[in-house]
Amino acid sequence: MTSLTHHTYGKGKVKLLKINKEKPQHDVKAIQVEVEVTGDQRVVKSFTSADNSFVLPTDTIKNTIYLVAKKGNIESSERYALALVDHFIKEYDQFLGVKISIDESPWERMNIIQEGGQEKFHEHSFVLTKTCVRVVRVTWSSKEREPIMESGFKKLRIMKTTGSGFSRFFTDKFTVLKDTEDRILETEVTAMWKYNPRRLSGLHFDITWHSIKQCILNVFALRYSYSVQDTLFHMGDEVLRKIEAVDEITIEMPNLHNVKPPIFDERDSIFVPTNEPHGIIKATCRRAISKL
C-alpha cells in the first residue's frame, strides 16, 4: 500500500513587468514569481484517485499572479507576496499551505549627463544592473497564524584587495596552505533574513532592504577580515544590531580564490581568478531572546 506523504503544485518562472506612470518620473518593477500550494485531502485525490475537482489549474495561478499585481500597488516585492498569500488563503479553502517566491531584476534609473555637464536621473529610462538579485520568500501554513517572510539577495559579487588574512589555523600532514596576513578576499554573497511578524505592519521594505545590504557592505569594506567566517559573523551581528525588524539572518559566502601563477613571485601583481573549487562558508545569526 502506497501513501502520499507530501505534495505541492503551482506555477513557476512567471515574469511580470509593472510600470507606474502616475508621476512624471516613472517607476518599474520587474519580477519573476513562483507559487506553490499544498492542498487538503480533496487535492490529494488528484494524485491518488485521478480526481481533479478541487485542483486549481496552474494556468489560473498564472493569471492570478498578473491580476493581483494589476489590482494592487506593488511598490515592494514583499507587499506583493503578502497580497498573493492573502488571495490564496481567502479564495480557496482546499489549500493548507502557500509559498510565494519572487526574484526581482535590478533595474535602476538611468543617469544622464546634460549639456553643461550636469547629471540628472532620467524620468523614464532605466538600465539593468548586475549588482545582485533581490529575493523574497513568503510561506503560510494553516498551522501558523501569520505568514513567515524571508527577504534577501543573491549574486552580490564583492572583492577587496587587502585588509584580509588567514592564519593560525589547524594543520595536519595534508596541510600545505601557508599563513597570510594580507590576501585578496573575493566572494559572492547570498543573504536571507527573517522578519519579526509583529513588525511587518508599516515597515518600509525597500528602505530596510537597502539598509541591510549597506550593513553587509560596510563590514566587508571597513573591518579587517581574519577569515571569511569572522567577516560573515560580524555582517550578521551588524544587521541584527541596526535593524530591529530582523530576527535572524543566514549568509552564504563562498571563498573565491585568486591564485598566483607559478611563473610569478609574491611581489608581482598578476593573479588567476578561480571559481572552482572554492571554500563553502554559511551560517545563521539569530537575535538573542531576552530572559526578562
Side-chain angles (χ1 to χ4, degrees):
M1 182 69 177
T2 301
S3 61
L4 190 71
T5 59
H6 176 71
H7 77 274
T8 64
Y9 82 97
K11 203 72 167 182
K13 296 188 181 299
V14 180
K15 297 184 184 296
L16 185 159
L17 173 66
K18 184 166 184 178
I19 303 173
N20 186 340
K21 297 184 178 181
E22 294 178 357
K23 299 178 182 179
Q25 193 175 64
H26 297 174
D27 291 311
V28 299
K29 183 74 69 175
I31 56 178
Q32 179 174 283
V33 185
E34 180 174 291
V35 175
E36 292 182 80
V37 294
T38 302
D40 61 16
Q41 288 301 314
R42 294 171 293 177
V43 178
V44 168
K45 288 182 179 180
S46 67
F47 291 89
T48 61
S49 304
D51 181 355
N52 295 331
S53 55
F54 283 91
V55 175
L56 183 71
T58 64
D59 187 67
T60 304
I61 294 176
K62 177 198 68 178
N63 294 339
T64 301
I65 290 170
Y66 295 140
L67 291 170
V68 171
K70 179 184 177 181
K71 289 195 306 181
N73 183 3
I74 58 170
E75 76 282 356
S76 73
S77 294
E78 287 85 353
R79 293 288 177 208
Y80 174 58
L82 289 171
L84 280 173
V85 168
D86 188 62
H87 174 87
F88 285 103
I89 292 173
K90 291 180 178 179
E91 294 293 328
Y92 312 108
D93 66 357
Q94 68 264 45
F95 294 146
L96 300 177
V98 181
K99 179 180 178 181
I100 311 295
S101 302
I102 298 176
D103 288 3
E104 182 175 331
S105 298
W107 285 99
E108 293 185 358
R109 197 173 304 283
M110 194 176 293
N111 194 21
I112 302 299
I113 299 178
Q114 300 174 303
E115 292 185 10
Q118 294 180 330
E119 294 186 7
K120 179 185 177 182
F121 286 113
H122 199 269
E123 288 85 356
H124 56 261
S125 296
F126 301 84
V127 60
L128 182 62
T129 66
K130 293 297 183 182
T131 305
C132 64
V133 176
R134 185 169 173 174
V135 179
V136 177
R137 306 283 184 265
V138 177
T139 57
W140 171 84
S141 167
S142 59
K143 298 178 182 179
E144 303 289 340
R145 298 181 64 181
E146 301 290 342
I148 298 173
M149 175 180 289
E150 291 183 274
S151 295
F153 55 78
K154 59 185 179 180
K155 299 182 179 180
L156 178 66
R157 192 72 169 258
I158 52 178
M159 176 180 67
K160 63 179 178 179
T161 54
T162 190
S164 172
F166 187 55
S167 61
R168 299 181 296 279
F169 44 82
F170 183 86
T171 63
D172 67 3
K173 61 185 177 180
F174 296 136
T175 304
V176 296
L177 187 68
K178 293 181 173 59
D179 285 9
T180 180
E181 305 295 336
D182 185 13
R183 66 171 181 169
I184 299 169
L185 177 55
E186 182 179 354
T187 186
E188 187 174 281
V189 183
T190 299
M192 293 295 294
W193 51 87
K194 291 183 179 179
Y195 288 110
N196 184 324
R198 295 186 297 274
R199 294 183 177 270
L200 293 181
S201 179
L203 185 65
H204 196 301
F205 287 106
D206 284 349
I207 292 176
T208 304
W209 186 89
H210 284 287
S211 297
I212 293 172
K213 179 186 170 188
Q214 194 61 53
C215 285
I216 289 171
L217 293 177
N218 285 353
V219 170
F220 183 84
L222 300 177
R223 188 182 184 279
Y224 181 85
S225 174
Y226 294 95
S227 66
V228 178
Q229 290 90 330
D230 166 70
T231 298
L232 187 157
F233 174 79
H234 283 88
M235 287 176 172
D237 179 63
E238 181 77 356
V239 170
L240 293 175
R241 286 192 304 107
K242 295 286 183 64
I243 312 297
E244 294 183 355
V246 173
D247 275 349
E248 72 173 45
I249 180 168
T250 297
I251 303 174
E252 184 173 355
M253 294 175 61
N255 190 6
L256 305 177
H257 304 297
N258 291 271
V259 299
K260 184 79 68 174
I263 60 173
F264 295 120
D265 61 30
E266 291 302 317
R267 294 171 297 176
D268 291 303
S269 58
I270 301 299
F271 299 85
V272 178
T274 60
N275 289 341
E276 300 173 353
H278 60 245
I280 299 174
I281 298 92
K282 182 178 181 179
T284 298
C285 299
R286 182 175 297 164
R287 188 180 302 282
I289 300 175
S290 175
K291 296 181 180 180
L292 297 179

